[in-house]
Amino acid sequence: MASFTVNWPAVVVALSVAYVTRYIWLEAQHSRKARRLGCKPAFVRPSRLPFGIDIMLRYVRATEAQDQQNDDLALYDELGRRPTWYQNIMGNWHHYTVDPKNVQAILATQFNDFELGPLRSGAFGPLIGKGIFTSDGKEWSHSRGLLRPQFTRSQVADLALEESHVQSLFDCLAVGADSWTGTVDLAPLFFHLTLDSATEFLFGQSVHSQKAAMMRTENQTTPRELEWASFGQSFDNANLAVCYRSRLMDLYYLYSPSSFRRDCQAVHRFAEYYVKRALETDEPMSSCGEKRKTYVFLDELVKVTRDPQELRGQLLNILLAGRDTTAGLLGWTFYLLARNPEVYSTLREAIVDQFGAYPSTAAISFESLKSCTYLQNVMSEVLRLHPIVPENGRRAVRDTTLPRGGGPDGTLPIYVRKGSEVGYNVHIMHRRTDIWGPNANEFKPERWSHLKTGWEYLPFNGGPRICLGQQFALTEAGYVIARIVQRFDRVENMDPSPVTKHRFTATTSPVNTLVKLHEAVSS
């Protein structure tokens, strides 16, 4: 019987030739398609190291220095303020844009050409599981249909729940004999407040993180009712890990430290406890054992689905969005108000005129908050300068195009291959001087008294995936702002640093909001 010997070198050469031939053929096919569609290549961001390693390292350093959004603006200037470019990160070539026309195409006019893709679900999945922010197609449509009824006006307009948490916030703001508080960092206080509010709205029971933080400060023992208060820290730690995972693009799985897995498990235990309780309880009960009268998100979801995994995923998806976005908006609002006392004075005059002096809440409602024009202008301007989700992205599900960015002057379409990522940066877009004028980096709420915006202003995303909780977040934030401004007639900036630092996870907020507040005489 003749022996058979494989000529392995010849096999390797043949496979290599076949691979190269196929690569050349595909490149030629894409080039012909791009020419037929009138597309030209976008500007290529320079890279000093192979596979864009230096670009990756720059992202990591900026994130660690809490300087990411500042560095984004610096990069935009370095690239000649080109609205769209092509870049390589860890071997992943993708387009990046700050052009409103391109963002509109990605999110709306060419919605069916783009999805979140496996990067989003892979990076975020271990923390929040399957839900509206990690799914596409029918799964996403199902999630949105499930959640839309939970953000009706009647739920959004329920401000009684918020007042108790505002009073817990005020407990943390001790006022001295001179009517001034000491120097206080509002940033973490707002995260505690929104965590307490969000968990009560979603789960039917607050984690009381504000009370727990005060007790830790005073070295008191935490009672049993506050045993879940550490949940917030686990949630924050896991969020930061998700940020690093996202930076690695398709290699996100390379960053999965044991601390990330532990934090995810802690978050899941919390959610699963309340899901189990809701599934086993026929009559919704308060933590005091009485029949609950207030609206609870989880109780309503249980009427639609009894799948524990789905319930946990949807709850954590909404918690990520609802808690962090509102805390970020509040933090940036007082960060900017402390540096612009004339705006604070104007805002206080508008709020006291419409809602009365502290402690009155009788005139504060969903409708009156929306009709307080200057309050709405302040929040719009805060969200312009500091959009809570500063950057985002989609993956092309078919060969497609974007309207602009190609050619020497960037006015021609660009060709986007199936499977490639397209990132968009709202933070840069909101500060483009060619769109917003030479004072684009200044805090000017008055600009909104006559401003009509389109896709150049995108604080809550746009198109079919526009944020369901937009009114919920604005109502909650507006209420908290109104109550603080009612009680305190002056705010003083106590942060000596001239550089704005960003706490950047899936959302952005100020690293600290160091202020002193002066209590109004009438309060």
Side-chain angles (χ1 to χ4, degrees), residues 23-44 84-87 93-97 102 105-106 110 113-114 394-407 410-423:
Y23 174 81
I24 293 172
W25 181 80
L26 286 174
E27 289 296 307
Q29 290 286 92
H30 283 299
S31 295
R32 281 195 293 271
K33 198 171 188 179
R35 285 195 300 272
R36 189 168 65 249
L37 294 169
C39 298
K40 291 291 184 180
F43 171 79
V44 177
T84 303
W85 62 89
Y86 198 44
Q87 64 182 19
W93 283 97
H94 60 281
H95 289 94
Y96 205 78
T97 188
N102 287 344
I106 296 166
Q110 295 171 223
D113 290 350
F114 297 93
R394 296 289 187 267
R395 178 166 294 195
V397 294
R398 57 180 60 86
D399 294 337
T400 186
T401 65
L402 289 179
R404 295 195 294 222
T411 60
L412 296 173
I414 55 176
Y415 183 67
V416 180
R417 299 185 185 190
K418 176 182 178 180
S420 63
E421 296 281 335
V422 180

Side-chain angles (χ1 to χ4, degrees), residues 459-487:
F460 292 100
N461 221 338
R465 296 191 80 128
I466 193 169
C467 177
L468 280 172
Q470 175 176 345
Q471 289 306 319
F472 184 86
L474 290 175
T475 301
E476 180 183 7
Y479 184 83
V480 175
I481 293 167
R483 295 297 280 151
I484 294 174
V485 174
Q486 270 185 315
R487 183 175 176 187

Side-chain angles (χ1 to χ4, degrees), residues 291-306:
K291 186 175 178 180
R292 189 186 296 124
K293 298 178 182 178
T294 56
Y295 174 90
V296 176
F297 190 90
L298 177 56
D299 291 341
E300 298 304 312
L301 278 191
V302 167
K303 296 176 184 177
V304 184
T305 177
R306 299 186 69 83

Side-chain angles (χ1 to χ4, degrees), residues 57-72:
L57 292 175
R58 177 170 175 169
Y59 275 127
V60 171
R61 285 193 294 266
T63 300
E64 290 178 341
Q66 299 174 316
D67 199 38
Q68 183 60 68
Q69 278 64 60
N70 299 333
D71 191 60
D72 287 342

Side-chain angles (χ1 to χ4, degrees), residues 27-315:
E27 289 296 307
Q29 290 286 92
H30 283 299
S31 295
R32 281 195 293 271
K33 198 171 188 179
R35 285 195 300 272
R36 189 168 65 249
L37 294 169
C39 298
K40 291 291 184 180
F43 171 79
V44 177
R45 177 181 175 180
S47 175
R48 297 187 306 275
L49 298 176
F51 307 110
I53 294 174
D54 54 319
I55 296 177
M56 178 70 237
L57 292 175
R58 177 170 175 169
Y59 275 127
V60 171
R61 285 193 294 266
T63 300
E64 290 178 341
Q66 299 174 316
D67 199 38
Q68 183 60 68
Q69 278 64 60
N70 299 333
D71 191 60
D72 287 342
L73 293 169
L75 172 66
Y76 182 58
D77 287 337
E78 290 170 21
L79 299 182
R81 299 194 174 186
R82 291 178 172 85
T84 303
W85 62 89
Y86 198 44
Q87 64 182 19
N88 182 5
I89 298 180
M90 302 296 287
N92 186 307
W93 283 97
H94 60 281
H95 289 94
Y96 205 78
T97 188
V98 299
D99 187 326
K101 196 73 175 175
N102 287 344
V103 175
Q104 181 184 20
I106 296 166
L107 299 181
T109 56
Q110 295 171 223
F111 178 78
N112 292 327
D113 290 350
F114 297 93
E115 291 185 346
L116 298 181
L119 172 57
R120 174 75 69 87
S121 59
F124 283 78
L127 174 59
I128 60 176
K130 290 184 178 181
I132 196 168
F133 297 115
T134 57
S135 59
D136 288 304
K138 291 182 179 179
E139 197 173 76
W140 166 75
S141 296
H142 168 73
S143 294
R144 195 168 180 88
L146 188 71
L147 299 176
R148 185 185 289 109
Q150 317 311 327
F151 288 98
T152 60
R153 178 172 163 180
S154 60
Q155 275 72 262
V156 169
D158 182 7
L159 298 174
L161 177 148
E162 197 63 37
E163 178 62 20
S164 64
H165 300 302
V166 169
Q167 289 303 319
S168 293
L169 171 68
F170 286 161
D171 289 342
C172 301
L173 303 175
V175 177
D178 60 354
S179 297
W180 283 95
T181 66
T183 298
V184 59
D185 186 359
L186 291 177
L189 296 185
F190 287 143
F191 270 91
H192 290 316
L193 182 151
T194 56
L195 180 62
D196 289 351
S197 176
T199 50
E200 185 161 357
F201 173 75
L202 292 172
F203 300 102
Q205 183 174 327
S206 169
V207 295
H208 300 295
S209 62
Q210 295 186 92
K211 293 179 182 178
M214 282 190 66
M215 297 186 75
R216 285 195 298 271
T217 301
E218 298 168 0
N219 295 317
Q220 297 182 32
T221 303
T222 304
R224 182 172 177 78
E225 69 169 348
L226 307 180
E227 63 185 352
W228 284 112
S230 61
F231 163 81
Q233 190 60 55
S234 296
F235 198 66
D236 290 342
N237 293 341
N239 259 326
L240 182 59
V242 165
C243 177
Y244 283 110
R245 285 164 64 85
S246 299
R247 288 298 184 201
L248 291 172
M249 304 294 288
D250 286 342
L251 301 177
Y252 62 83
Y253 52 83
L254 294 179
Y255 186 78
S256 185
S258 57
S259 58
F260 174 58
R261 296 193 294 275
R262 283 196 303 271
D263 288 326
C264 288
Q265 288 168 1
V267 170
H268 294 172
R269 280 197 303 272
F270 174 86
E272 287 164 357
Y273 169 81
Y274 287 103
V275 166
K276 184 174 183 290
R277 193 174 73 166
L279 289 171
E280 293 175 348
T281 305
D282 293 329
E283 291 286 346
M285 305 294 287
S286 71
S287 56
C288 300
E290 300 173 349
K291 186 175 178 180
R292 189 186 296 124
K293 298 178 182 178
T294 56
Y295 174 90
V296 176
F297 190 90
L298 177 56
D299 291 341
E300 298 304 312
L301 278 191
V302 167
K303 296 176 184 177
V304 184
T305 177
R306 299 186 69 83
D307 182 341
Q309 290 299 309
E310 181 172 20
L311 289 167
R312 187 189 79 180
Q314 299 294 0
L315 284 167

